[in-house]
Amino acid sequence: MFKKLTVILLTLSMILVMFPVSAFADKQLGDFTYTEADGKITITGYTGAGGDVTIPNTIDGKPVTSIGDYAFAFCSSLTSITIPGSVTNIGGGAFAWCNSLTAINVDPSNTAYSSADGVLFNIDKTTLIQYPGGKTGTEYTIPESVTSIGEGAFAGCNSLTAINVDPSNTAYSSADGVLFNIDKTTLIQYPGGKTGTEYTIPESVTSIGE
C-alpha cells in the first residue's frame, strides 16, 4: 500500500513539474478572461460592462481560436457580440441566458461559423447554435437547412412565443409554436414566452430534450 501511494505521489509531482498550475490558470486582458494552450487562446469569461462587444482576433499576439463553454452565459448587460474570423470552436451554452443579447454577429472571414439576422449558425447553416436571448420579436422560423440544434440554443429566450419550422425542413417540425423533431417523437423546446398556463404533451412524444 505504501509503495502504491509513493508511486501516485511521484506521478503527481512529475505532472506538476511538466504542467505547472499557472499553465492552467485563467488570465485576464481587459474585459476577457482566457487560457492559453499550444499558442492558441480560448476565451473563458467576460467581466466587462456589456453593450456591444467585439471579441479580439488575437491576445498577446496569439490567435483567439475558441470560446469556452458558458463563457458569456448569464451576462445580462451584453446587447450584441461579434465573433472574429479566427474562432473555430464555440463551446456549449457560450451565449445562453443573455437576456439583453439582441444579435450575435460573425466576421465574414470566419470559415467555421456564420450568422443570419443575428442568430448564430455553423458555416453552412446546418446547425443552429444560439438564438439571442434578448432578440426582439415573438416568433422565429427555423430555416430549411438546419439539421441539428445546439444545446441551450433557446435557453432564456423569454420573449419567444412560437418557434416555427420551414415546411421544407426534413429534421424538425412544430405544432402550435412548440418545437419537435420531424416525426414529433421528441419535444425539443416549449417557447419561454408562450402564453397559457397548461400544456398537454402529445401522445407521439417518447423523449423530451434538455
Side-chain angles (χ1 to χ4, degrees):
M1 179 66 181
F2 179 76
K3 288 184 177 179
K4 288 183 179 179
L5 183 59
T6 301
V7 170
I8 291 170
L9 290 173
L10 285 171
T11 302
L12 287 172
S13 298
M14 291 175 66
I15 290 171
L16 288 173
V17 170
M18 294 172 65
F19 304 101
V21 172
S22 60
F24 298 98
D26 280 8
K27 301 176 183 179
Q28 186 84 29
L29 178 70
D31 297 334
F32 300 98
T33 56
Y34 66 96
T35 57
E36 179 187 334
D38 300 323
K40 298 177 181 179
I41 300 295
T42 296
I43 300 293
T44 57
Y46 175 75
T47 59
D52 300 333
V53 174
T54 297
I55 297 172
N57 267 298
T58 62
I59 289 179
D60 195 24
K62 301 174 180 65
V64 174
T65 59
S66 297
I67 300 171
D69 293 346
Y70 307 104
F72 293 85
F74 299 100
C75 184
S76 60
S77 59
L78 193 65
T79 56
S80 75
I81 192 154
T82 299
I83 297 167
S86 58
V87 170
T88 57
N89 182 70
I90 298 175
F95 306 104
W97 299 287
C98 295
N99 56 17
S100 296
L101 184 62
T102 61
I104 303 170
N105 304 307
V106 180
D107 189 285
S109 67
N110 194 297
T111 59
Y113 297 99
S114 61
S115 61
D117 195 25
V119 181
L120 179 63
F121 296 87
N122 65 340
I123 190 64
D124 56 3
K125 294 184 175 61
T126 55
T127 300
L128 193 162
I129 299 168
Q130 188 70 56
Y131 183 92
K135 186 172 172 60
T136 56
T138 57
E139 297 187 3
Y140 178 68
T141 300
I142 294 172
E144 175 187 357
S145 60
V146 171
T147 57
S148 66
I149 296 174
E151 179 184 343
F154 294 98
C157 297
N158 296 326
S159 295
L160 270 183
T161 61
I163 302 172
N164 304 310
V165 179
D166 187 292
S168 301
N169 192 295
T170 59
Y172 296 100
S173 61
S174 62
D176 193 27
V178 180
L179 179 62
F180 297 86
N181 64 341
I182 190 64
D183 55 5
K184 293 184 174 62
T185 56
T186 300
L187 193 162
I188 298 169
Q189 186 73 48
Y190 183 92
K194 189 171 174 62
T195 57
T197 57
E198 296 184 0
Y199 179 69
T200 301
I201 295 171
E203 178 184 359
S204 60
V205 172
T206 56
S207 64
I208 296 175
E210 294 184 16

